[in-house]
Amino acid sequence: ALERQHVLALREEFIAMVIHDLRNPVSVAMEVVSQLKKGYCGEPAPQQKKFLELGEHALGKLSHMISELFEMSKIELGQVKLEKSRFNLCEMVRETLEGLRLSADKKGILLKAERPEKDLFIEADKEKIGDVWMNLASNALKFTDAGKITFAVKDGGTHVDCSVRDTGQGIPKESQGDLFKKFERLGAKQKGTGLGLVIAKSILQAHGGKIRVESEEGKGSAFIFVLPVSERRRV
């Protein structure tokens, strides 16, 4: 058993190393394509620009997948480190919403925020909690074709309640138990690593928090996560 654990640990370390080494060449390729598109070597013809945009989009998706795999490898190796700071959770919701505004407008989706009148500050890893919000919001937008997506933050006294609710496709009950498992995707036709929700759950657990889903097929979904009061300070 110990030998098997050792082999598994070596495998995870090797995978983490490979993923880490992939990040740099992909970043370089993205920058090269971006500069070419901007005319660094001469203004590209319309057809050339179209192909460069396709390449930039594909590299962006690849970069995102590599980042998810890298984050997952750190989680499995027990290398998740929290760099806590005090920040405004309500402001983070505003930033997440604005980051999706253009994509939502293209689909005709209304974005709504429900926040307390007084700003809510917490003590947590800002970048990682931001990743949780963006992951849940991006999924909601991906699976919502009409209606609205609501971002909510509520002061629960002993905890902070946060949620992302949509009026999208919903998730079948038989699939809900698998959502937070590795490589499980929300939709059969959707591409990607299927790691986003696993990473979100791990980040929240590292903060002493938790996440759950409420959904009905054809009526939308709600992903609700909670951070304990120990992770925040009042103004």
Side-chain angles (χ1 to χ4, degrees):
L2 286 174
E3 185 178 344
R4 183 173 182 274
Q5 287 179 349
H6 180 64
V7 171
L8 289 174
L10 287 175
R11 187 192 69 175
E12 292 300 335
E13 287 180 12
F14 174 74
I15 292 171
M17 181 182 68
V18 171
I19 293 168
H20 181 271
D21 289 346
L22 280 172
R23 298 179 84 184
N24 188 56
V26 170
S27 296
V28 171
M30 285 180 68
E31 183 61 24
V32 169
V33 171
S34 176
Q35 292 300 323
L36 289 172
K37 193 180 78 170
K38 292 175 182 176
Y40 182 78
C41 295
E43 187 63 30
Q47 189 71 2
Q48 291 173 323
K49 194 169 186 177
K50 182 179 178 182
F51 279 112
L52 287 169
E53 286 173 350
L54 287 171
E56 188 176 45
H57 179 68
L59 284 167
K61 290 175 70 174
L62 178 59
S63 177
H64 179 69
M65 290 172 68
I66 290 172
S67 293
E68 286 194 328
L69 288 167
F70 183 61
E71 191 65 31
M72 194 67 231
S73 71
K74 288 196 296 182
I75 289 169
E76 294 191 329
L77 289 170
Q79 295 176 351
V80 177
K81 294 180 181 178
L82 302 180
E83 296 182 8
K84 294 183 180 181
S85 63
R86 184 172 178 271
F87 64 92
N88 186 347
L89 191 60
C90 295
E91 181 61 30
M92 178 171 283
V93 170
R94 285 191 286 268
E95 291 172 355
T96 304
L97 188 149
E98 288 305 319
L100 292 175
R101 179 79 67 188
L102 186 60
S103 298
D105 287 346
K106 285 181 180 178
K107 294 185 72 173
I109 305 297
L110 175 67
L111 299 180
K112 183 182 177 184
E114 295 178 353
R115 306 181 298 265
E117 290 183 8
K118 191 175 183 180
D119 282 340
L120 198 56
F121 287 80
I122 66 169
E123 192 85 18
D125 188 310
K126 184 176 182 180
E127 183 178 347
K128 285 183 168 56
I129 297 299
D131 288 342
V132 172
W133 275 110
M134 186 54 72
N135 177 278
L136 298 181
S138 297
N139 279 339
L141 186 59
K142 189 185 298 181
F143 293 97
T144 302
D145 296 320
K148 66 181 178 179
I149 299 171
T150 304
F151 304 78
V153 175
K154 183 180 178 183
D155 186 347
T158 59
H159 57 274
V160 178
D161 288 311
C162 307
S163 65
V164 178
R165 299 177 181 272
D166 64 61
T167 57
Q169 301 172 14
I171 305 162
K173 281 200 177 297
E174 61 272 19
S175 300
Q176 292 177 21
D178 296 326
L179 287 178
F180 299 99
K181 294 179 181 178
K182 282 198 304 182
F183 305 116
E184 289 290 338
R185 293 190 292 268
L186 287 173
K189 295 180 181 179
Q190 293 295 330
K191 298 178 181 179
T193 62
L195 293 175
L197 290 175
V198 181
I199 293 170
K201 182 179 180 179
S202 297
I203 289 171
L204 292 167
Q205 286 180 332
H207 282 84
K210 55 187 178 180
I211 185 171
R212 72 180 192 276
V213 61
E214 295 176 357
S215 183
E216 188 174 344
E217 197 169 5
K219 294 187 177 180
S221 304
F223 284 86
I224 301 141
F225 64 94
V226 178
L227 288 171
V229 73
S230 59
E231 296 299 329
R232 57 166 291 204
R233 286 186 304 194
R234 294 184 182 277
V235 179

